[in-house]
Amino acid sequence: MIGTTSLPSMGNLALCRKEDFRAFADAPRRSQPELLTRAELKKLSPEARAEYNRRRREWHANLGPIKTPQLSALHEDLWDIVDSNLQDGDKAKGAVAVDAFPGLGKTTSVLAFTREFHRREIAEEGEFTAQGNERWPVCRVGLTGNTGMKDLNRALLEFFGHPGRHRGTTAQLGQQALDCVLSCEVRLLVLDDLHFLKWRKTSGIEVSNHLKWIANEFPVTLLKVGVGLAEKGLFSEGDTGGDTTLAQTGRRTTRLDMPPFTITKENGRREWRQMLLALEKRIVLADKHPGMLADDLSDYLFARSTGHIGSLMTLVNRGCQRAIRSGTERLDRDLLDRVKNDEASEAARRELEAALGRGKLTSRPGANRRKAA
């Protein structure tokens, strides 16, 4: 009997609003659809088959996050930093920047951490503060290429749904944002897509100064997420006045990375295999078999993803959707060759495939370095 109970749709959530963030944080873990054989699939009515396939589509589109070594290391560092930031209000708290290339799961990993942090704080402290205000341990804001100080303050107020967010000066909006943070006892302020700022332009330096003001006045840990933040000057020393301003931000910021998977050493190959085995368990296709990913497709998937988990998850998700829609019910090279992936992975694919094909490189650890069937 196939259950039809499903989670409320999470597809319309905007995590820059507190109610949506709570829905994300409080949502139970998705229930993996049961694995049916082809014979069981044939016995389903058209309605039941359509419902089962819908559940599988949603499941495969949300396979992560998977607890990779990179995610575990990032979370350990984040817990160290956040839990050590219990200084009194007159002391500035250390900030953290997750700075890594695209496709490595930065935002997914940070959101997984914020979810656990939110749950822990609510469990320990309750849903309301001693003054009777709603407790919001986490505030998350996404930045854009045109974000200035006023825009940032307005985005903070937007998270809380503050009625005055559409009017007021930069300073007024900033004070209102501070009042919200204090009243709701926010402990973690997440600024995503920080790389959109033009750090060496006037607006970037203004926002950098503003971030220092937040770090000084807001009793929060500031968590910045972006691509190439070091190259953009966030941690630069510099000689000019503007660069020195940015360097002061860097002095208070701990940089964390999320490296891609590598297969040049045995430890990296073992980590890659464990990742594929974990991912394999989550796939719901009638003809899947042990080793479908980790043995038969190990080198192929590494070449198609270049070791970037975001690219890997995209390829596997799209492959599963095609396998269900076409009735193939398995992942193999013939099917995946017809599935498009992101441009960065496709551009680097040929060189990797050539090295793997010549035996100069392998993704298989130890005894598992055999040719795919």
Side-chain angles (χ1 to χ4, degrees):
M1 182 78 159
I2 296 178
T4 57
T5 302
S6 62
L7 291 171
S9 175
M10 301 286 284
N12 292 325
L13 295 187
L15 299 182
C16 57
R17 300 173 182 171
K18 59 186 177 68
E19 293 84 2
D20 285 355
F21 185 86
R22 173 174 286 172
F24 160 76
D26 291 346
R29 293 189 180 279
R30 291 179 181 271
S31 177
Q32 182 169 342
E34 54 270 54
L35 180 61
L36 302 183
T37 65
R38 281 191 175 270
E40 291 171 327
L41 280 174
K42 289 180 180 179
K43 292 180 181 179
L44 297 177
S45 67
E47 294 79 11
R49 178 73 171 264
E51 172 63 16
Y52 180 61
N53 286 344
R54 182 193 65 78
R55 293 174 57 213
R56 290 199 291 171
R57 287 198 304 271
E58 292 183 356
W59 172 257
H60 289 132
N62 297 277
L63 287 173
I66 293 177
K67 195 173 183 179
T68 63
Q70 294 91 330
L71 182 144
S72 297
L74 176 67
H75 282 194
E76 284 298 313
D77 288 333
L78 288 175
W79 283 119
D80 287 344
I81 295 167
V82 174
D83 285 348
S84 67
N85 275 348
L86 294 176
Q87 299 94 336
D88 294 335
D90 61 334
K91 301 179 181 67
K93 302 179 187 299
V96 56
V98 180
D99 182 14
F101 290 114
L104 295 173
K106 296 182 304 300
T107 296
T108 299
S109 299
V110 167
L111 285 176
F113 175 81
T114 61
R115 178 178 184 168
E116 295 306 313
F117 181 77
H118 173 93
R119 288 181 168 185
R120 187 191 75 172
E121 293 299 298
I122 295 298
E124 291 181 356
E125 304 293 342
E127 294 186 1
F128 296 92
T129 69
Q131 288 72 36
N133 299 309
E134 291 181 343
R135 185 185 306 280
W136 292 100
V138 177
C139 173
R140 179 196 171 275
V141 173
L143 277 66
T144 70
N146 295 318
T147 300
M149 292 184 294
K150 190 170 186 177
D151 302 309
L152 179 54
N153 291 343
R154 184 177 290 116
L156 289 169
L157 293 175
E158 187 72 40
F159 179 87
F160 295 102
H162 193 284
R165 62 190 181 277
H166 298 302
R167 58 186 178 274
T169 66
T170 299
Q172 289 170 338
L173 295 177
Q175 287 301 320
Q176 291 172 345
L178 176 57
D179 289 342
C180 288
V181 166
L182 294 174
S183 298
C184 298
E185 298 188 5
V186 175
R187 285 196 56 200
L188 181 62
L189 174 56
V190 181
L191 301 181
D192 206 352
D193 291 327
L194 202 66
H195 53 275
F196 285 147
L197 293 178
K198 297 179 180 178
W199 285 95
R200 296 186 183 278
K201 302 298 182 180
T202 302
S203 61
I205 297 204
E206 288 176 349
V207 174
S208 178
N209 284 329
H210 195 58
L211 295 183
K212 286 192 297 179
W213 175 74
I214 289 175
N216 287 334
E217 302 297 328
F218 288 41
V220 300
T221 297
L222 193 56
L223 173 51
K224 313 163 197 177
V225 185
V227 176
L229 299 181
E231 291 77 6
K232 291 182 181 298
L234 180 61
F235 314 106
S236 299
E237 291 300 330
D239 297 321
T240 68
D243 288 340
T244 302
T245 298
L246 296 179
Q248 292 173 359
T249 301
R251 283 292 183 181
R252 292 180 176 177
T253 304
T254 300
R255 181 178 182 271
L256 302 179
D257 191 10
M258 286 199 72
F261 286 92
T262 59
I263 55 174
T264 55
K265 296 182 180 179
E266 184 70 6
N267 183 59
R269 291 189 284 268
R270 285 197 298 267
E271 290 179 350
W272 176 248
R273 179 173 176 79
Q274 290 304 312
M275 170 65 194
L276 295 182
L277 289 172
L279 186 54
E280 198 174 278
K281 291 179 180 178
R282 302 192 182 194
I283 291 175
V284 186
L285 297 175
D287 288 347
K288 85 167 186 177
H289 58 274
M292 181 179 70
L293 301 186
D295 291 331
D296 299 349
L297 294 171
S298 179
D299 284 356
Y300 177 84
L301 291 174
F302 190 87
R304 291 292 307 270
S305 67
T306 60
H308 288 61
I309 189 171
S311 301
L312 173 67
M313 300 297 280
T314 296
L315 180 62
V316 169
N317 171 24
R318 293 176 181 175
C320 288
Q321 307 298 349
R322 182 173 289 226
I324 293 170
R325 195 172 60 252
S326 66
T328 306
E329 292 292 338
R330 69 181 181 278
L331 296 183
D332 57 29
R333 181 162 185 159
D334 287 340
L335 181 140
L336 291 174
D337 272 343
R338 299 193 297 273
V339 174
K340 303 297 188 295
N341 207 6
D342 62 88
E343 179 60 25
S345 294
E346 295 296 349
R349 173 184 178 183
R350 290 184 179 84
E351 185 177 349
L352 265 175
E353 281 185 326
L356 290 163
R358 292 194 301 267
K360 292 185 175 181
L361 195 63
T362 180
S363 66
R364 298 178 178 83
N368 290 305
R369 297 181 198 171
R370 61 178 180 79
K371 291 290 185 182

